[in-house]
Amino acid sequence: MLNRVPEIGDWASFKYEFIMLKDLAYLTAKTGDEFALLRGKKEDILFHGDSRNCVFDGTLVDMLMTHKLYIVGHSHSGEPIPRPSGNDREALEVIGQEKSTVISAMSGMCIDFSADSFEIW
């Protein structure tokens, strides 16, 4: 998978439900960078972020805003218990998505979160 998205900002399409959240954790453990899994009706998108964020632009933003894709989840590198950031929550609010998941590259633990910082899933 990393061969398809070797650089920060790269993204690639994969077969629907080919990528799992644990794959993001493995990729982050190897590189130190965050990765995100976006999913549409017929495809998975793997996105290579930097060490602190996954910042989408262009086509991906358009597809998220028009609900052709949604953010299944993304990885965090330096925390055994992943905590969604304010930016993570804001992204959901901007695209109108109810919830997503963050996975720790250290522990593999997943936490579901929403745009509301007081909401627990």
Side-chain angles (χ1 to χ4, degrees):
M1 283 186 229
L2 189 54
N3 290 338
R4 302 260 320 266
V5 292
E7 303 294 327
I8 293 169
D10 287 349
W11 58 277
S13 177
F14 291 81
K15 185 175 76 167
Y16 180 74
E17 293 188 341
F18 178 80
I19 301 170
M20 300 185 327
L21 285 173
K22 70 177 182 176
D23 295 324
L24 304 181
Y26 294 140
L27 290 165
T28 295
K30 180 168 180 60
T31 65
D33 293 332
E34 290 190 5
F35 287 81
L37 169 57
L38 313 178
R39 186 164 281 152
K41 290 181 180 179
K42 297 181 181 181
E43 66 182 343
D44 285 356
I45 302 290
L46 177 63
F47 180 85
H48 188 157
D50 63 28
S51 63
R52 301 184 54 100
N53 297 295
C54 287
V55 179
F56 311 120
D57 61 11
T59 301
L60 294 181
V61 170
D62 293 343
M63 293 181 78
L64 287 164
M65 294 297 290
T66 58
H67 306 285
K68 293 177 182 165
L69 292 175
Y70 69 95
I71 304 169
V72 174
H74 72 286
S75 54
H76 281 185
S77 62
E79 48 195 25
I81 300 172
R83 290 178 174 74
S85 70
N87 288 341
D88 295 338
R89 294 180 188 282
E90 183 180 341
L92 292 185
E93 185 174 353
V94 167
I95 65 172
Q97 184 172 319
E98 185 177 329
K99 71 174 186 166
S100 187
T101 302
V102 61
I103 186 169
S104 166
M106 292 178 72
S107 66
M109 178 184 279
C110 291
I111 300 291
D112 292 337
F113 67 96
S114 72
D116 182 348
S117 61
F118 295 105
E119 181 114 21
I120 299 173
W121 289 90

